[in-house]
Amino acid sequence: MNTRKCCAFVLVLLLLFPVAVLAQDDATDEAMDEVQMGAWETCETPDNLPEEINLGVIYSLSGPISVYGGPQQQAVQLALEEINGSAYLGEGTTLTAIFEDSAGDAEQAINAMTKLVEEDGVVAVLGPTLSTEAFSADPIAQENGTPVMGTSNTAIGITDMGDFVFRDSLPEASVIPGTIAQSVEILGLERVGVLYGDDDDFTLSGYDVFIEALDENGIEIVGEETFSREDVDFSAQLTNLLNNDPDALIVSALSAEAVQIIIQARDLGFEGAIIGGNGFNSPDTIEQTGEASEGVIVGAAWNVASTNPYSEAYETAYEEAYGNAPDQFATQAYTGAWLFATAIRCANSAERSDIRDALAAITDLETPLGTFSFSETRDPIHDPVVQIVQDGAFAVLGAEDMEESE
């Protein structure tokens, strides 16, 4: 190639390169658009909304329960950036969040809900983090006709508090039966010991569902033991249970207690499965227990290994924003913010009762949790998953068996 032809070739490349880059960016944007959550086609862009719409958010942002609340807050912030950045509620309308810290305390949750609903005048509320907090604070939202959505409340009876109370977190009753049935089928369990917290709505509710599921699967319960929140020594209860030689331990606990139970059970030489409720379902639990968590089983609403394109797009965005993978609680918080935004868009209104009605009407919406609908009782409808800790991370229980059979 002579010098003139070479220069001409380079010039052509220089002229084409920006076009190629722009074309690639467009393709990337189009790909993201294809998997961006929202009722883009089914509900027209609203034209009747104010410039600013305030959403209240109550999560446990301090203390031991912040292991759930911190990621929840991050996920809501990510969702709002996407909602506002895409003009999902129309040009000129911004959805903002007023965050309140409940610190895992029922009284603090009540104060936060009262402030948001009665003083700040928010149109809807996400949270609180714990079921115990929700049972205390949600009646205030109900009395004031304000939609409230639990994104990590799984106890029985949450939505029974009224027609303004929703949740997008699968209740234990929708997750635990499948967890027990699949664990029995794959691990051949016959005898188990049961350990549960007897002073918390979530752990008590989980205990009830576990017992019913064990009975339905014909599993012998060789012993039951209890504990209280903030207990740190479980050696006496675990020793009593392990003396009866169970195949597995069934535990209904929040993360702080679950960490110590897992570590102390392994220290006592127990090598069998430890099956937990939703309180186990955090990467932080695995990180704090290290190798002791290998073999821990927990049912979940979502797994990071999901191949759902909406989940993959969300997970990528979350990791880019915060440098780590999201957990289930963050995913449900992210989805919850988008669900409220979708209700506002479809209602073309920021009135609380209109948002409530539009929220209840959401059906078959594609989300990171899967194809999502609300039931007539305002509980979520989508498929759960059973996880097991392998090599320091949550994996889908039985996934290897499924791959081998394919």
Side-chain angles (χ1 to χ4, degrees), residues 45-56 89-90 92-96 116-117 120-125 144-147 164 339-359:
T45 301
D47 57 6
N48 190 41
L49 299 179
E51 292 184 358
E52 183 172 282
I53 301 173
N54 291 323
L55 182 68
L89 299 181
T93 293
T94 301
L95 183 62
T96 62
L116 290 170
V117 171
D120 297 328
V122 300
V123 300
V125 178
N144 284 274
T146 306
F164 280 84
L339 289 172
F340 267 140
T342 296
I344 294 169
R345 175 185 173 100
C346 294
N348 194 14
S349 169
E351 295 296 324
R352 292 168 169 176
S353 59
D354 293 338
I355 295 171
R356 187 273 310 271
D357 293 345
L359 196 63

Side-chain angles (χ1 to χ4, degrees), residues 325-342:
D327 62 17
Q328 172 193 295
F329 303 103
T331 308
Q332 291 171 162
Y334 172 88
T335 302
W338 269 100
L339 289 172
F340 267 140
T342 296

Side-chain angles (χ1 to χ4, degrees), residues 1 8 19 22 37 63 74 95 100 109 126 148 179 182 188 219 281 328 340 361 383:
M1 183 181 295
V19 176
L22 289 174
M37 185 175 164
Q74 291 179 330
L95 183 62
E100 295 292 336
L126 284 170
V148 56
T179 304
Q182 196 167 340
I219 303 303
N281 196 13
Q328 172 193 295
F340 267 140
D383 293 331

